[in-house]
Amino acid sequence: MDAREMALHRAYEHAVRWLAGLSDRPVPARAPAEEIVRALGPGLPDGPTSPADVVDLLATACEPGLTAFPGGRFYGFVVGGSLPAALAADWLVSAWDQNCVMRAVSPACAAAEDIAGAWLLDLLDLPPASGVGFTTGATMANFACLAAARDAVLGNVGWNVARDGLTGAPAVRVIAGAERHIAIDLALSQLGLGEPELVATDDQGRIRADDLRHTLTTEAPAPTIVVLQAGNLHSGGFDPFPQAVGAAREASAWVHVDGAFGLWAAASPRLAHWTTGCPDADSWATDAHKTLNVPYDCGLAVVRDAGALRAAMSRKGAYLIHDERGDPADTVPELSRRGRAFPVWAALRSLGRDGVADLVDGLCRHAGEFAAGIAAIEGASVLNDVVFTQVCATFGDDARTDRVMSRLLEEGTAWISGSTWQGRRVMRISVSNWSTTDDDVARTLTAIRRAAAAV
């Protein structure tokens, strides 16, 4: 066995041991970063170390500083696990070591993107001729989509961003709901579009379509982008797409949908009604490493006008080999990137259409179980309509809610993050992992009851 093979075997052993122990270990990390630094050794050695020994040191030193994200009892943020086929495919991605930017250089990467992209458009009920880019995550998916939107709406008034930049360009109005995700603000800032104009939202964080229509008509016509949301960060709620898209169309605005985790409702016959009207938008951003449960990092940028996405993202270099059918590099900001489509293809192939629907439905069912269990705790209240995978609860006043969450994290059975929503501190539960079981939900609810009783 040579050095590379030995290192891979050690990595496999450590990975299997880590995954097998997730059900029994505390979910929060047990050691701070400073302790991990000491264990890893902050000084660069003078001489070489065998690859297998490096893997052993990395695994043993880092293990106490790892949070059990892949386990069934992590509900903080919206973090999915990794489906078995997707995880194994991601190992192959690293072993194959392809730079997935040119169709001619790595035909397998292009083929995986072509197939996985078409499957995604079908599952999410999006226009079949749309352009699909495999980005690092939803932030860069929003970036790519909004870049296409910016360039298109300015192009409609005769301004060429690629040639002339933004200096002296007509102002672009970007309108979003007051409860949009911070990823929208990040992307807009990076694109030189500044902060969005905000439209009021209802008690579930959904944009008010009448207020949107009013906002769109209060100023003279201008290049305009409207940002809508599929899956509110706190409530899981969906904007009223038929009315909101209709209002935007009346103003000739580009409509973008941030659907980081909620866009996957379209894959479930039971939940697809929440996305009615969503396919009428111009672009959509989502994460595959959230609801679909592929490994980090993988976001998806979808633009109805594939040419607009290519125009915003693609640049030609004399040393590159260009394919007339288009290259993966034409759809995302990066030139160098790993084969993100392979794990997506593997996840979709392993689940099939029915399996994706079952995955989404199962996450939502567990969210409903959490809501019912918490509502039965004395002094606790669930604040949102649980329509998807999010549950926001309080345990009385803000101070007690924070104490319950702190006690829960100290105990370690589960990891649930806090937040502030509509002026109140909340326990925010995000059910995002395929491996969460009924027993995981029951164990977590028992831990929440213990924490609430203790404070």
Side-chain angles (χ1 to χ4, degrees):
M1 188 179 298
D2 64 16
R4 180 168 58 187
E5 189 175 356
M6 178 65 74
L8 289 171
H9 274 283
R10 295 281 181 85
Y12 167 79
E13 291 167 356
H14 286 293
V16 169
R17 189 178 302 115
W18 157 255
L19 293 171
L22 289 172
S23 62
D24 298 321
R25 65 173 285 137
V27 179
R30 303 191 302 272
E34 295 78 10
E35 184 175 322
I36 309 305
V37 167
R38 289 192 294 272
L40 286 170
L44 178 65
D46 292 329
T49 305
S50 75
D53 288 344
V54 169
V55 171
D56 284 339
L57 174 60
L58 181 67
T60 56
C62 288
E63 191 276 337
L66 299 176
T67 297
F69 287 108
R73 296 189 309 283
F74 183 90
Y75 312 105
F77 318 116
V78 186
V79 175
S82 293
L83 289 159
L87 173 59
D90 200 56
W91 286 8
L92 286 176
V93 169
S94 292
W96 289 341
D97 197 20
Q98 303 289 290
N99 187 0
C100 294
V101 295
M102 290 176 283
R103 185 177 294 270
V105 177
S106 187
C109 296
E113 291 202 8
D114 291 345
I115 296 172
W119 287 355
L120 288 163
L121 295 175
D122 181 26
L123 277 171
L124 301 178
D125 193 30
L126 299 179
S130 298
V132 181
F134 290 77
T135 65
T136 56
T139 300
M140 290 313 293
N142 280 305
F143 175 92
C145 291
L146 290 169
R150 178 197 65 185
D151 293 6
V153 298
L154 284 173
N156 290 339
V157 295
W159 188 272
N160 187 320
V161 175
R163 184 189 63 213
D164 301 324
L166 290 176
T167 303
V172 176
R173 293 185 76 190
V174 182
I175 302 171
E179 290 200 21
R180 79 273 174 219
H181 193 278
I182 191 175
I184 295 298
D185 296 65
L186 283 170
L188 293 175
S189 175
Q190 292 159 354
L191 289 165
L193 295 176
E195 296 182 351
E197 297 178 48
L198 300 183
V199 175
T201 52
D202 66 13
D203 63 347
Q204 299 299 307
R206 300 171 296 213
I207 200 168
R208 294 184 182 274
D210 289 345
D211 288 349
L212 173 62
R213 179 174 279 104
H214 176 73
T215 300
L216 285 164
T217 58
T218 54
E219 295 185 14
T224 303
I225 301 167
V226 171
V227 179
L228 302 177
Q229 190 174 59
N232 177 271
L233 176 66
H234 289 99
S235 73
F238 295 75
D239 284 345
F241 293 114
Q243 298 82 5
V245 174
R249 288 285 178 256
E250 293 171 11
S252 300
W254 177 293
V255 182
H256 171 65
V257 177
D258 175 19
F261 63 94
L263 198 60
W264 295 93
S268 163
R270 190 176 68 84
L271 300 165
H273 63 281
W274 293 119
T275 60
T276 298
C278 183
D280 296 328
D282 297 292
S283 59
W284 307 262
T286 189
D287 259 325
H289 61 236
K290 286 184 168 56
T291 308
L292 186 60
N293 278 234
V294 306
Y296 280 96
D297 52 17
C298 188
L300 301 165
V302 182
V303 178
R304 176 188 295 274
D305 182 352
L309 179 62
R310 288 194 298 271
M313 294 290 106
S314 179
R315 293 294 180 270
K316 305 302 182 185
Y319 70 99
L320 299 175
I321 304 172
H322 303 292
D323 192 292
E324 62 182 13
R325 293 165 295 180
D327 292 296
D330 295 336
T331 59
V332 296
E334 311 102 326
L335 278 178
S336 297
R337 62 187 175 94
R338 64 191 282 107
R340 301 186 185 110
F342 292 116
V344 174
W345 177 90
L348 295 176
R349 180 63 188 241
S350 68
L351 292 174
R353 186 184 305 275
D354 292 343
V356 175
D358 290 344
L359 169 63
V360 176
D361 288 345
L363 300 177
C364 296
R365 178 174 63 83
H366 288 318
E369 292 166 352
F370 271 117
I374 291 172
I377 298 173
E378 184 177 357
S381 300
V382 175
L383 301 184
N384 65 308
D385 299 334
V386 181
V387 299
F388 201 57
T389 59
Q390 306 298 99
V391 181
C392 278
T394 65
F395 294 83
D397 59 28
D398 288 354
R400 184 167 187 262
T401 298
D402 281 340
R403 290 199 302 272
V404 172
M405 288 186 292
S406 295
R407 186 68 176 241
L408 184 67
L409 288 177
E410 288 170 6
E411 192 222 38
T413 297
W415 207 106
I416 300 175
S417 60
S419 186
T420 300
W421 185 44
Q422 299 186 348
R424 300 183 68 179
R425 289 293 294 162
V426 295
M427 173 184 285
R428 186 175 73 95
I429 297 173
S430 301
V431 187
S432 308
N433 198 315
W434 70 275
S435 65
T436 297
T437 64
D438 291 341
D439 180 64
D440 287 323
V441 175
R443 288 174 63 182
T444 303
L445 283 169
T446 298
I448 293 172
R449 284 191 288 268
R450 283 197 300 265
V455 300

